[in-house]
Amino acid sequence: MMADFFSWWQQLPYAMNPVIFSLGGIAIRWYGMMYIVAFSIVYLLSRYRIADEKLSFDKAFPGDALTWAMGGVLLGGRIGYILFYGFSDFLANPIGSIIPLATTNGACRFSGISGMSYHGALIGVVIAIALFTRNSGKGFLETFDLFIPALPLGYTFGRLGNFINGELYGRVTTSMIGMHFPAAPGSGLRYPSQLFEAFFEGIMLFVLLWSLRKRAPYTGFLSGLYLMGYGFVRFCIEFFREPDAQLGFVFLSFSMGQVLCFLMMAAGAAILLASRPVRAKG
């Protein structure tokens, strides 16, 4: 019985189709659908917080802020990937890196954008929210703290999209929990690192932040805790995730993701310290 289960488990990536359905040659993919699900979850849970916790945000605020954030995710994620993971390709073909085109029978068509960076998306969201809050009447960290508890749960679905796509797979393993990924070189088992990230960076971090949302001692606490928590968990999971082939290890035995996570943890610690109220002496 267990042998049958592990046989099914290890071959599961071959059974998954990244395309939900096609309409007139346009493919509707699970990965894109997961972005919609993720933003919907963050939006609905943030609306729930405003009503349940009597937060001083109007009902339109989450939608307006997330519209800006969505632009930050898409632009920041793509630009971040180019800068962090594909800069040599960008230098060799700047236009093709930004606007991928393919030629079929003499016709030129958009081939789709592949490659998004979480850390680039985070930077894009930070810039977008900073611009949005200039005229929103709300503070930058106050706005981030509103969305942060729900963010990991939304992020869970992004990693499930990576899993369905068969991308961002883990390193080679002999463990029974390993899987065969069609796009991976060789025929060995690999860690399903996307599922590790979905659980630890997503569900586990969501449970922690959601349980603390009403007990945050000061503005910026949840944001700083998220940066440190995500950075630490992702740093650890990177030991199971296959480094990007074009980069390998960029510093000692650390991947680019680990270097960026270290900076992320440092930023989180800085926010926790800088936003902490100063106690009056005497």
Side-chain angles (χ1 to χ4, degrees):
M1 190 71 176
M2 289 299 294
D4 291 339
F5 170 78
F6 279 112
S7 177
W8 168 82
W9 171 263
Q10 292 167 0
Q11 297 297 327
L12 180 59
Y14 280 89
M16 295 186 299
N17 187 350
V19 178
I20 306 175
F21 58 87
S22 298
L23 288 174
I26 299 176
I28 308 301
R29 296 179 176 271
W30 283 109
Y31 186 69
M33 184 63 65
M34 291 303 181
Y35 269 80
I36 297 174
V37 173
F39 275 100
S40 298
I41 286 174
V42 176
Y43 171 75
L44 292 173
L45 288 181
S46 299
R47 285 285 300 267
Y48 171 80
R49 286 196 67 200
I50 291 173
D52 180 63
E53 301 170 39
K54 305 298 189 291
L55 301 179
S56 59
F57 295 90
D58 61 54
K59 293 182 179 180
F61 188 88
D64 294 340
L66 285 175
T67 299
W68 282 73
M70 193 177 301
V73 166
L74 297 177
L75 291 175
R78 182 57 186 163
I79 294 172
Y81 181 84
I82 292 172
L83 294 178
F84 300 145
Y85 300 99
F87 194 63
S88 59
D89 292 336
F90 172 75
L91 292 177
N93 183 17
I95 302 299
S97 296
I98 299 173
I99 308 175
L101 299 174
T103 302
T104 304
N105 298 326
C108 191
R109 62 178 178 81
F110 180 67
S111 61
I113 294 176
S114 62
M116 294 283 283
S117 163
Y118 165 81
H119 295 94
L122 179 62
I123 294 171
V125 170
V126 167
I127 294 173
I129 295 299
L131 293 173
F132 171 75
T133 53
R134 290 175 61 185
N135 299 310
S136 70
K138 295 295 181 181
F140 174 77
L141 288 177
E142 182 184 10
T143 299
F144 256 97
D145 279 0
L146 169 65
F147 297 109
I148 282 297
L151 187 61
L153 187 58
Y155 180 75
T156 299
F157 288 88
R159 284 307 182 208
L160 291 177
N162 292 138
F163 178 69
I164 295 172
N165 269 357
E167 59 192 7
L168 306 184
Y169 43 76
R171 303 184 190 187
V172 174
T173 180
T174 57
S175 171
M176 294 294 287
I177 65 171
M179 291 179 159
H180 294 286
F181 288 94
S187 57
L189 295 171
R190 290 179 176 270
Y191 286 113
S193 54
Q194 317 96 320
L195 299 183
F196 295 172
E197 293 189 66
F199 179 76
F200 290 104
E201 300 165 9
I203 295 173
M204 190 182 76
L205 195 55
F206 167 73
V207 171
L208 173 64
L209 293 170
W210 191 257
S211 64
L212 293 176
R213 71 189 190 281
K214 295 182 180 180
R215 291 178 282 172
Y218 52 86
T219 300
F221 176 82
L222 292 174
S223 296
L225 185 61
Y226 168 78
L227 291 174
M228 291 192 67
Y230 177 92
F232 174 76
V233 173
R234 170 74 180 271
F235 183 90
C236 295
I237 293 176
E238 283 280 329
F239 286 112
F240 298 92
R241 178 172 159 175
E242 181 74 8
D244 293 82
Q246 71 274 23
L247 292 180
F249 298 107
V250 299
F251 179 71
L252 300 178
S253 297
F254 299 130
S255 66
M256 175 61 80
Q258 288 175 306
V259 171
L260 294 172
C261 281
F262 179 81
L263 297 176
M264 188 175 177
M265 286 187 282
I271 290 175
L272 287 175
L273 292 174
S275 57
R276 184 176 53 181
V278 178
R279 293 183 179 179
K281 296 181 179 180

